[in-house]
Amino acid sequence: MDYSASKRRRRRGGFRLNASKMFTFSKLLKIGFFVLLALLISVPLVFFWFSRDLPAPGTLVTLKQDEATRIYDRNNTLLYSVFQDENRTYVKLSEIPKQLQRATIAIEDKDFYTNQGFSPMAYLRVARDALTGQGITGGSTISQQLVKNVLLQDSSRSLPRKIKELILAIQVNQKYSKDQILEMYLNNIPYGGTAVGVESASQMYFGKEAKELTLAQSAFLAGLPQSPSLYSPFSGEKYYLDRAKSVLRQMVENDYITQSEADKAYKQVEKFKFVQKEDHAIKAPHFVMYVKDKLTEQFGQQRVTTGGLQVTTTLDYDLQKDAEKIVKDEIESLEKYDVTNGAAIIADPKTGEILSMVGSKDYFDEANDGNFNVAISNTRQPGSSMKPIVYATALEKGYTAATMLMDVKTEFPTDDPTEPLYNPVNYDGKFRGPVQMRYSLANSYNIPAVKMLAKVGIEPVMKQAYDMGINNWEPTAANRASVGLSLVLGGRETSLMDEVTAYSVFANGGIKHNPITILKITDSKGKVLFERDEPDKKRVLSEEVSFIISHMLLDNAARTEAFGASSALVIPGHEVSVKTGTTDQKRDNWTVGYTPSYVVGVWVGNNDNSPMNPAIASGVTGASPIWHDLMVLSLKGKPSEEIKKPEKVVALQIDALAGGLPHGGQGQRSEYFVKGTEPTAEASIYKNKDGQDYLIFKEDDPVSKDGQNRWQKGIEEWIEQAHKDDKMYHPPDELKNEGGNPEQSPTPTLQP
């Protein structure tokens, strides 16, 4: 009895459980029904709404010419029209090699022949990324890319455009066969520059008809449409190699070719020699291509190549024409010095605007990779041209233009076990003993510069340089670990563009402007898309330090020992601050100089980094004569500008030898100081005992790792060699112990 009742209760309980599940299931079915019904109603409505103003897919057969993007100089001179000389030759699919067709399908849309013009998985990714705040992303099929290039003007990554693209892609697949779609795609896709379609691209890159293309050439071309500017072999980089490798790998995975065929084709791609025909329609080509890349970053490749952008740049083409001729003529005259290339930039330091950019001797010089823009290449060693930043860092820390350092043979310890001691030398192999900062910088003496770097520290100098625009000197842990005291002599690479930016800080009283090349962008109907208003600026150096560095760099009397009184660094009728730089083995030669209104930077050397003739001499040959002519060109008809002395800078008569207050019968000179750093006493090197005057030179060694004072050792060896019999340099021991630090009094107040 009890058992039966229990059994009935279990049955009733089980019934209640099953009924609950059925109710939930029924509810879910009802919700699902209404969701499905909503989708069935809304999706057609969405498609209908976005289909209202879509172009007919039949217009794909009409090869319309897209509106050209035009790039102008600041005075409205047309520099370049992207499709001005477009050579679009339509070829049938039967005349396009199967390997190129397959390469394109493999890398762009492997399911091309089986999909309906779109990838459902790609749209799921679009929805996912949109919902998670990553923007509208997702890859496009060949049909969608064809639609984008021919039918849709809107190149934005928006949901409405994606929907329009989807609708048209579906319609195109319904109207045309797959072979027709592929044929239209291969004839309408941009391949870089003015090349639209495979026939134009084949002629541009290989000088042959498309039907003659090899597997290797097909793999190269198939990789370009994704980003023609990035993968262009004329950009100076070789990113196209990895892209071609990816194309070949996809062809292998899709069973179009064997791995052996892929390997053989890639070896051929590595050996490609591309020929770029001279295009007389392009003016200032290096600058234009630089601007074109900037536009691509902002608007995307498609908008730049077909969107009808009208771009006003900062370039002064009248100045550019003369600058190009000056660089070319001078480099050709340096052939006997084993110099094949040069670059130059002229900028306005008050705004950061680039007025002229010459990226090489000749953009169309195929033998020397003339299309490679050396002016923006971050791979050249600056030599001594970065010394002003080291000394600026020192001035910010309280040192002065009168600070004296001993220019004597000195060993500096390193962290390199193969070369534990670093032994820098001056350009002429001579040592001059006590030298004040003004003369050390003006004559570009190396040992005092290395000592100053050791005193102020590598990291503060790298940070100062980075703040001023030397991007490759960012003081990260990895970057700091890769440099030593040779940093001040060019131990880390930079670019001419960055150097001009940094020197603009000195010219502009410590205010930095980032380089600017674009002033205004409108669409083809005149709608303003971008317009530069107030330039971005940031103080990265004090006005006082900028003035003192600038004054040291324009002091022709101070640099006479190294450069002579009438070097190429002198611009008659104008005060111009200037610094040169030459690397070991003469691989890079620089001159950068400025007034308050113009900064001119010049580099000469060889693209392959091979040494120039040792006869190249800063201030006489190489970059300096080019710089001289460019500065004269820039200042033609302009009045001389003096750098404005800040109120907190004072002038003082000082001891010409040691930098303290005047001493006895010693020579005197005038020097500028930031208020609070001027000397208040005579230098401590002067001692007298029993009527005999003595000079006592002492330096501490801040980088010693073993307790040895190698700086003092260098001083003592110099005295023995240069003043062995001069009693003044050999004081009694009791005087030596009293002092003699060569720095002026007072000791600099080091800032944190």
Side-chain angles (χ1 to χ4, degrees), residues 116-136:
Q116 298 303 309
F118 70 98
S119 168
M121 292 304 297
Y123 273 87
L124 287 175
R125 289 194 297 271
V126 169
R128 178 202 65 194
D129 294 341
L131 290 172
T132 56
Q134 299 181 46
I136 303 301

Side-chain angles (χ1 to χ4, degrees), residues 344-361:
I345 290 177
I346 303 174
D348 180 349
K350 294 184 175 72
T351 62
E353 294 174 9
I354 304 299
L355 305 175
S356 174
M357 176 189 288
V358 183
S360 73
K361 178 193 73 171

Side-chain angles (χ1 to χ4, degrees), residues 61 85 129 195 239 257 311 315 444 504 530 695 739:
V61 297
D85 297 316
D129 294 341
Y239 297 129
I257 59 175
V311 185
L315 191 87
S444 201
S504 294
F530 166 82
L695 296 175

Side-chain angles (χ1 to χ4, degrees), residues 133 345 670 678:
I345 290 177
S670 179
E678 64 269 30

